[in-house]
Structures are given as C-alpha cells and as structure tokens.
Amino acid sequence: MRAIRGATAADAAAIGEVAGAALVLDAAEAPRLVARLSDPPPERRWTALVTDDLDAVLFASVSARDGSAGHIDLLAVRPGAQGEGRGRALVAAAEEWLRAEGVTEARFAGNPPCYAWPGIDVRYTAAACLAESLGYERYNVAWNMTADLSADLSTEADLLRLADKGVTVHAAGPGERAAVLDFVREHWNDNWAWEAAQASGCHYASRDGQILGFAAWGSRPAWFGPMGTAPAARGLGVGRVLLRRCLAEQREAGLASAQISWVGPLGFYSRAVGAHAERVFWLYRRDLR
C-alpha cells in the first residue's frame, strides 16, 4: 500500500488533475473544486491528504457549528489506480486526523459554507459502496435542482409591480456588498455571508433604504445561491425577481444551465424558472468513538 502524507502547495496541480480524472460527472469543475476546498474560511480546521504517488487525494474538515462532527469533503482516486485500497487507506487516515481534532462522528456530507457537494452523488456508486463497506450509515438525502438558462428569465413586469409597492432591485456593486453581507448575517448566518462574499454576482431588493432580500451566484461558477427574503417582504415576489436576475447574469457569463444547491423549497424554484430536481445525494455518518 502506498504511503499517505499531507498535501503541500506544490501538489496543487496534480491534485486538480487527479480530481478531474476521477470525478467524471464533474471533470470540468474539479480543479476549481480543489482550489475552493483549499481556501476555506480562515477559522476552518481542515487537511488534505494524498498518497505518495499522487494517485489519490482526500479533503477533510471539522464542522465550525459542531466540533464533534467531521467531514470527508472530497475523495478522488485516479481511475487506473482504483481497486487497490487507496481510498480506504485515505479515509482511515482522515478518521485518525479527525479523532485527533476531537471529532466523534465522521460524515460523508457537505460542511457549509465551503463544500464540494451536499453528500455522495448517488451516481458515484463506487463511493457510496466504499462508505457503506467502512461502516458508514446513510442518514439523510439532499438534492440539487437544475435551471435551464435558455428559459424565460424576464423581470420587467415584476419590477414594475414591485416599484408600485416601493420596492427596487439593484445589483450589489463593491460599495453595496458590505451592507448586503450585514443583512445576510443578521437574518441568516455567517455561512451564507461567506458564500455571498465569494459570489461573482449579487442582487438585492430594498424599500425606504432597508434591504428586503438578496440572491447571489458564482461562489462556484455554475451554482446559484444562497438567496433569502426577510419576513417583512415575503409574499411580494421579491425572490422570483432576484433569482431571475442572477440566472440571467449566469447566462450572460456563457453558462447554459445553473445548479441550485442543497434545495429546500422545490416548488418555488420549479414555478419561478422551471427548475427540476436532478442531482441526488446520500449523506453518510459513522461513530468514531
């Protein structure tokens, strides 16, 4: 069995290449995923482990919300090196690192706000089989929705209707982004604020100088979110406009579709832009005590 060591900055290109080869459903995005996981929020405790032949890589981290929970954030083994125990050995090494960090439960599940996916995509069958063979139990399911960006994303009529109610919608430039982030922290949490800060584009709605809602895209290039509307604005249709404005920008950036990650309200996205549930993820956990 190959030796396992901590990854170094010099390994970055090789890790991206391994991820691109192994993650066949996400090959184009894989190097950016590696870069994202390598630059998480500053307070995150995390590690990247590789086999000494650089044919396999694993990212692991500790939850900021619950220090007893640890996450296997990404596991990739080059196709030609699969079936030789590299993935199993990396998970075992990650579990030892997590124990040393005080973790009592390991999860194959996303660690917001900086994560690859909510869990294991059910189409990555070998990864799910590995998790189950190591004693991990499935405890939840999550899904992404896909929005076709060739759909009607117009907002003109909605903007006129909102204007009659004193509501205006704006792109959040550098001068406005800080106020939007404060709004997100106040109404939701630091995780969403971090994602919004990383986003390529952000829009917000306001009335009488008060922010009512926001939406962001591009914290990962093809992904939409997060978005939220303050209680005082719910029912006005603010979310639909913000969503469509962001998706239109993603289309202008050259994307044909957008992923809406870890979706809660299926009905809202289906009605607003015809999005459909597509990627399904199983979340796994194992007691490390």
Side-chain angles (χ1 to χ4, degrees):
M1 177 49 58
R2 309 297 308 200
I4 293 171
R5 62 173 175 82
T8 68
D11 299 323
I15 290 172
E17 192 275 328
V18 169
L23 304 173
V24 294
L25 303 176
D26 303 275
E29 192 181 19
R32 290 192 292 266
L33 272 182
V34 167
R36 177 180 174 86
L37 291 173
S38 300
D39 189 24
E43 67 276 9
R44 172 164 293 189
R45 288 180 285 157
W46 67 282
T47 189
L49 304 172
V50 295
T51 52
D52 63 353
D53 56 6
L54 287 176
D55 274 338
V57 60
L58 181 149
F59 284 81
S61 62
V62 179
S63 169
R65 178 178 299 178
D66 177 4
S68 69
H71 295 258
I72 308 298
D73 296 303
L74 183 146
L75 174 62
V77 181
R78 192 186 304 276
Q82 292 173 5
E84 300 176 359
R86 286 173 175 81
R88 185 175 296 268
L90 281 169
V91 173
E95 290 176 346
E96 287 305 306
W97 180 84
L98 290 169
R99 286 191 184 95
E101 294 291 321
V103 166
T104 57
E105 180 180 277
R107 302 173 180 172
F108 277 89
N111 186 7
C114 183
Y115 60 96
W117 305 282
I120 297 176
D121 187 314
V122 299
R123 296 171 297 176
Y124 284 121
T125 305
C129 290
L130 174 63
E132 293 182 6
S133 73
L134 292 172
Y136 284 79
E137 296 182 349
R138 195 186 316 161
Y139 71 96
N140 208 343
V141 64
W143 47 84
N144 284 7
M145 296 183 80
T146 300
D148 180 355
L149 300 184
S150 69
D152 177 17
L153 299 175
S154 61
T155 58
E156 289 81 0
D158 288 327
L159 288 170
L160 289 172
R161 179 179 49 78
L162 288 175
D164 286 340
K165 299 178 181 180
V167 178
T168 56
V169 178
H170 319 264
E176 295 86 16
R177 188 72 69 101
V180 173
L181 298 182
D182 288 342
F183 168 79
V184 176
R185 292 188 190 95
E186 177 186 354
H187 289 275
W188 291 278
N189 52 59
D190 286 338
N191 285 344
W192 276 22
W194 186 85
E195 287 191 87
Q198 305 297 309
S200 300
C202 182
H203 292 256
Y204 69 98
S206 65
R207 180 169 56 193
D208 299 328
Q210 299 295 312
I211 296 177
L212 300 176
F214 85 103
W217 70 272
S219 58
R220 283 169 59 173
W223 285 36
F224 167 83
M227 74 167 289
T229 304
R234 289 172 189 163
L236 295 177
V238 166
R240 168 187 162 95
V241 174
L242 293 170
L243 168 64
R244 288 184 165 215
R245 289 279 290 264
C246 285
L247 295 183
E249 281 192 346
Q250 289 182 273
R251 180 168 62 195
E252 291 166 7
L255 296 172
S257 65
Q259 286 281 301
I260 306 169
S261 177
W262 218 323
V263 174
L266 284 168
F268 166 74
Y269 291 107
S270 177
R271 290 189 302 271
V273 293
H276 60 277
E278 184 171 41
R279 297 194 73 169
V280 178
F281 304 90
W282 286 334
L283 283 64
Y284 289 90
R285 63 187 175 193
R286 185 170 94 81
D287 195 318
L288 293 184
R289 289 171 291 190

